[in-house]
Amino acid sequence: MFWKFDLNNTSHIDQLLDREGVTLRELMEEEDVLQECKAQNRKLLLFLSKDHCMQELVTLITEEPPADLEEKTRFKFPNIACELLTSDVALINDKLGGDESLLEKLYHFLEQEPPLNPLLASFFSKTIGNLIARKTDQVISFLRKKHNFISLVLNHIDASAMMDLLLRLISCVEPALLRMEVLNWLNEERLIQRLTELMHTGRDEERQSNASQTLCDIIRLSRDQANQLSEVTEPDPLLAVLESQENVAELLKNMFEGERTEASVVNGTQVLLTLLESRRSGLEGLMDLYSQGCERSYTVNSSILRAIEPHIKDFQQLLLNPPTRSAILTTVGVLEQPLGSARLHVARLVASLLQTCDLSICQEICRLNTMDLLLDLFFKYTWNNFLHLQVELCVASILNHSAHADLQNPGLIKHLVTLKIGVMATENSALAEGGRRRGNMGHLTRIANTVVQNLEKGLAHSQINDLIKELPEDCRGRWESFVGETLRETNRRNTVDLVSTHNLHSSSEDDDMESPFPNDLSIQQAFSDYQIQQMTANFVDQFGFNDEEFSEHDENINAAFDRIAEINFNIDANAAAFEACCKERIQQFDDCEEEEDIWDEKEINYATQIKARSRYSTWMIYPGWTASFGETEVSSSSAWGGSPQQDGEGPQDTSWASFTEFQPFSR
């Protein structure tokens, strides 16, 4: 029956192209014009690549459409034009990249006064970016002749599309030798220094933010490509400037010169954090901190640290006197003096600096008692978990310091011990009275466990023991009481909560049924071991999980069944049910019935015939009602219009289940 379908359907675009005098706008009105372009419709591509069509397409993405058009259709044609120009079709790429008049028309877009239309800027950036990747030689040669190209791009850096254009120049140029030429060209144009200058406190916040993000992306891209492109021995010139002491010092000067706004502090600190960050981010980076202490998987350029060190006191001052912020309403009430992004970023910076394990940096932080201020904020802002995490990372870095034992901050340990006693004691009594748990208690408990753990077997255990001994007798007694009672009870309560959750999901009415999970005692012990043990590089192996235990072994196909003998099946509890199932008589299907011809024409009958077998009856009997599935014919009138027998006349219809006394399932 294929002849019913017209498989030779001709595209409407082809019909339009066959018509004399067809315009570009008429073609762009067609819904499938982009699809036909990407499908390499030869007639369409030849039409689009004509000079007047290419000129019109470029005009659409670089000039503002008439303002009197309806807003929802105003940018319809510019959007379609951009998609056609970036459809990655060789004929269009060759025409656009090889015609200098078209490139000049594109470049003229940058020569407009700011601000640019953000949508047109995105069209322009996408088109140029596609040419950089596909027609690299022609486009790079054209741009290098324009001595004001970088200046124009930075002049419009408030548009995020310009930031994307710069990153495409850095990351999308191949081969490696040509890419190095581009990097040297950008370095000669002093790209990094110009972006750093935009970080000055007097600049527009949007320009500051985009300049900061561009610098951060350049750092990450340059480091990633340096790792991947092993054949290039020449160092990245942009990264070299970014990591130089002179450029970092200039960045810090721009941050702190003049009025210290929150935007300048946050944007500048983000660049510093990117310079200090490891190549592994997120959860993996956090696990690295615990497993390796301060032994980082990379080395921070010392020039970065030497430039930051003189300004640690300036960051300390931000903790004391942050940029003014108005009160905010939170879920726990009005916060008159919010912590603010500036102080949070300072806390992140201190944590990153401590993780470098640089002797001079750590000594300066200890000298300024920066950790005391962070701990004060930790207890003041009890609901800011972002701050709590950074303080915890700082404490872990100091306690796990393996390179220099004298870098421990005595004030930190004393401050930590004395404040924790009071806060945890207060928290314990509040919980007893039914009060609300403080938001920092989880991090506080983990910090306490870290201190106790290092007190017993950590790298600085001797120093921590000495500090504990120097405490007044009553304070030391409270500390020991806290560790032996409050902290132990907190850990036990956390363990019980986990076990209760486990029991909730694994509970069963069959008390005699053996649980496939470990008993409560083993769970408590496992969780306690997990919670208070030191996070080392072989933590997973110590805790008892082995990925290979659950993976298939190619060399031994029977490996998955090696432990089958360890499974304990206890069927005593369900012996009665098992016997009932076994004794149940299962009737055979009526195979002797004559097969029906499915193609045989027969009269259509809408009456429903229900055939049921008695083997289902044992599973369909519930307290209070019985389902009967005897063979019967139920007419459509009785099923939808009510029973023909009413008021007790005639035999009662028993073909339907009675739910009048239905009870919930007991199992």
Side-chain angles (χ1 to χ4, degrees):
M1 294 171 43
F2 294 103
W3 55 86
K4 291 185 178 181
F5 303 98
D6 184 8
L7 299 181
N8 295 318
N9 186 26
T10 304
S11 170
H12 189 239
I13 288 182
D14 288 339
Q15 298 176 5
L16 284 176
L17 291 170
D18 291 336
R19 198 182 71 192
E20 195 172 328
V22 64
T23 65
L24 178 63
R25 295 294 181 103
E26 288 180 298
L27 288 172
M28 295 174 71
E29 289 282 4
E30 296 297 318
E31 293 183 355
D32 58 343
V33 62
L34 182 59
Q35 178 182 349
E36 289 292 319
C37 180
K38 292 183 176 181
Q40 306 283 335
N41 185 319
R42 186 67 180 173
K43 293 170 66 175
L44 176 62
L45 294 181
L46 289 174
F47 181 85
L48 293 177
S49 60
K50 292 180 179 180
D51 290 343
H52 73 278
C53 288
M54 294 297 295
Q55 289 284 343
E56 186 174 354
L57 289 172
V58 173
T59 300
L60 283 170
I61 67 170
T62 56
E63 294 184 7
E64 287 271 357
D68 57 349
L69 293 179
E70 189 178 358
E71 191 62 29
K72 66 180 181 179
T73 60
R74 188 171 175 228
F75 290 95
K76 172 185 176 180
F77 289 118
N79 180 56
I80 297 175
C82 176
E83 294 299 321
L84 290 172
L85 290 173
T86 60
S87 57
D88 202 16
V89 175
L91 189 59
I92 294 179
N93 290 338
D94 293 341
K95 182 67 176 180
L96 186 58
D99 191 332
E100 192 154 331
S101 64
L102 293 174
L103 293 177
E104 288 285 354
K105 193 175 187 65
L106 273 173
Y107 187 80
H108 180 67
F109 178 76
L110 290 174
E111 297 175 340
Q112 303 179 57
E113 289 296 322
L116 296 175
N117 182 294
L119 197 53
L120 292 181
S122 68
F123 295 155
F124 166 82
S125 176
K126 184 176 181 180
T127 303
I128 290 289
N130 178 70
L131 290 177
I132 290 173
R134 302 303 179 191
K135 308 298 292 183
T136 308
D137 290 331
Q138 296 93 319
V139 175
I140 295 299
S141 176
F142 173 81
L143 293 178
R144 293 187 67 173
K145 296 176 184 177
K146 302 295 183 179
H147 300 294
N148 60 344
F149 171 67
I150 297 298
S151 299
L152 291 176
V153 171
L154 295 180
N155 192 38
H156 298 295
I157 198 65
D158 54 322
S160 59
M162 297 300 105
M163 176 177 63
D164 297 337
L165 177 57
L166 288 175
L167 296 178
R168 282 182 176 272
L169 277 173
I170 295 172
S171 61
C172 295
V173 175
E174 294 180 358
L177 290 178
L178 180 57
R179 175 180 175 272
M180 188 57 63
E181 290 182 13
V182 172
L183 294 180
N184 287 325
W185 164 52
L186 295 176
N187 189 44
E188 292 169 1
E189 294 289 331
R190 303 184 75 252
L191 174 62
I192 300 302
Q193 292 88 334
R194 292 185 182 186
L195 286 169
T196 303
E197 176 59 30
L198 291 175
M199 303 293 297
H200 196 278
T201 55
R203 300 287 184 178
D204 176 73
E205 289 189 8
E206 191 68 26
R207 297 170 67 82
Q208 278 189 37
S209 177
N210 285 350
S212 171
Q213 187 60 52
T214 304
L215 289 172
C216 293
D217 289 340
I218 291 176
I219 294 169
R220 295 189 179 105
L221 282 173
S222 299
R223 287 176 175 173
D224 289 344
Q225 291 188 342
N227 292 334
Q228 296 170 5
L229 303 177
S230 56
E231 69 275 10
V232 179
T233 57
E234 186 178 350
D236 188 316
L238 299 183
L239 184 60
V241 173
L242 274 164
E243 293 182 338
S244 67
Q245 185 170 345
E246 295 77 13
N247 191 74
V248 178
E250 184 66 22
L251 172 63
L252 289 160
K253 177 185 174 183
N254 293 336
M255 288 173 56
F256 293 111
E257 192 174 65
E259 182 183 359
R260 301 181 182 182
T261 63
E262 184 166 85
S264 62
V265 171
V266 169
N267 292 322
T269 306
Q270 284 179 340
V271 178
L272 297 176
L273 289 169
T274 307
L275 287 170
L276 296 172
E277 75 182 4
S278 65
R279 295 189 177 93
R280 300 176 67 190
S281 59
L283 180 60
E284 291 182 344
L286 180 61
M287 293 300 293
D288 277 348
L289 171 65
Y290 281 102
S291 63
Q292 302 176 14
C294 290
E295 301 295 334
R296 306 287 286 210
S297 58
Y298 77 108
T299 302
V300 175
N301 194 321
S302 61
S303 61
I304 301 172
L305 301 175
R306 300 290 71 80
I308 294 176
E309 185 177 346
H311 291 275
I312 294 179
K313 61 180 184 298
D314 296 319
F315 289 105
Q316 171 106 341
Q317 192 62 29
L318 285 171
L319 294 177
L320 295 170
N321 299 304
T324 304
R325 289 176 60 96
S326 57
I328 60 174
L329 179 63
T330 69
T331 55
V332 293
V334 177
L335 193 59
E336 296 294 341
Q337 186 182 11
L339 175 71
S341 295
R343 287 196 285 188
L344 178 59
H345 276 74
V346 172
R348 293 179 60 193
L349 181 63
V350 173
S352 295
L353 289 172
L354 287 172
Q355 291 169 33
T356 64
C357 300
D358 182 81
L359 177 61
S360 183
I361 289 287
C362 293
Q363 285 178 339
E364 180 67 8
I365 292 175
C366 292
R367 185 184 68 81
L368 294 172
N369 289 326
T370 305
M371 281 307 306
D372 284 351
L373 290 177
L374 288 177
L375 283 166
D376 288 339
L377 294 175
F378 180 94
F379 291 110
K380 179 179 180 180
Y381 295 95
T382 57
W383 300 103
N384 194 318
N385 289 153
F386 297 105
L387 172 66
H388 303 157
L389 174 61
Q390 300 307 319
V391 174
E392 182 183 350
L393 293 177
C394 290
V395 174
S397 294
I398 294 175
L399 295 179
N400 294 332
H401 212 302
S402 60
H404 305 283
D406 59 336
L407 291 185
Q408 317 303 331
N409 185 355
L412 166 67
I413 306 299
K414 291 182 180 179
H415 193 88
L416 183 66
V417 170
T418 54
L419 278 180
K420 189 177 302 301
I421 293 170
V423 172
M424 288 294 286
T426 304
E427 172 67 16
N428 192 47
S429 62
L431 288 175
E433 297 169 4
R436 181 167 53 183
R437 178 182 173 88
R438 285 186 174 88
N440 60 358
M441 289 309 300
H443 290 282
L444 195 58
T445 301
R446 298 206 313 191
I447 292 175
N449 284 326
T450 302
V451 173
V452 173
Q453 170 184 308
N454 281 270
L455 183 63
E456 296 173 351
K457 56 181 179 180
L459 297 168
H461 69 279
S462 59
Q463 186 179 13
I464 299 176
N465 272 295
D466 293 340
L467 290 170
I468 297 284
K469 293 176 182 177
E470 293 176 5
L471 292 173
E473 186 176 351
D474 61 333
C475 185
R476 186 170 65 253
R478 283 185 293 151
W479 166 254
E480 294 172 353
S481 175
F482 157 72
V483 173
E485 298 175 8
T486 308
L487 183 60
R488 184 187 297 273
E489 173 61 21
T490 301
N491 291 333
R492 188 200 64 79
R493 188 167 60 246
N494 290 340
T495 304
V496 170
D497 291 342
L498 177 68
V499 174
S500 299
T501 304
H502 155 71
N503 289 338
L504 179 63
H505 291 287
S506 61
S507 60
S508 171
E509 291 184 7
D510 297 324
D511 294 335
D512 295 334
M513 179 68 72
E514 182 176 340
S515 173
F517 298 99
N519 57 38
D520 290 350
L521 183 59
S522 62
I523 292 178
Q524 293 178 15
Q525 183 63 41
F527 184 78
S528 297
D529 293 342
Y530 159 75
Q531 187 184 40
I532 66 176
Q533 70 171 302
Q534 185 177 6
M535 302 286 283
T536 59
N538 59 343
F539 164 73
V540 175
D541 296 331
Q542 290 178 352
F543 190 55
F545 291 104
N546 186 354
D547 291 340
E548 296 181 357
E549 181 178 356
F550 301 98
S551 62
E552 295 183 2
H553 301 272
D554 295 336
E555 66 275 8
N556 183 5
I557 197 169
N558 294 322
F561 302 95
D562 286 345
R563 300 179 59 187
I564 194 69
E566 300 177 15
I567 302 176
N568 184 7
F569 293 98
N570 187 347
I571 63 172
D572 293 339
N574 287 331
F578 181 73
E579 288 294 330
C581 292
C582 293
K583 293 179 179 179
E584 183 182 3
R585 180 180 179 183
I586 302 178
Q587 295 183 359
Q588 299 295 325
F589 289 100
D590 298 332
D591 295 335
C592 60
E593 293 181 2
E594 181 180 356
E595 289 189 8
E596 295 181 340
D597 186 358
I598 61 174
W599 302 106
D600 188 21
E601 294 185 3
K602 46 182 156 310
E603 182 182 357
I604 299 176
N605 185 0
Y606 291 97
T608 304
Q609 292 186 350
I610 303 176
K611 292 185 178 181
R613 304 186 183 279
S614 61
R615 64 191 179 99
Y616 294 114
S617 61
T618 58
W619 303 104
M620 300 299 293
I621 299 176
Y622 299 95
W625 66 278
T626 302
S628 175
F629 296 92
E631 294 187 10
T632 183
E633 293 188 3
V634 183
S635 66
S636 59
S637 60
S638 62
W640 303 105
S643 174
Q645 293 90 6
Q646 299 179 1
D647 300 328
E649 299 178 2
Q652 295 294 326
D653 184 7
T654 61
S655 61
W656 300 95
S658 174
F659 295 91
T660 56
E661 299 181 1
F662 178 78
Q663 299 293 330
F665 296 126
S666 60
R667 297 178 64 84

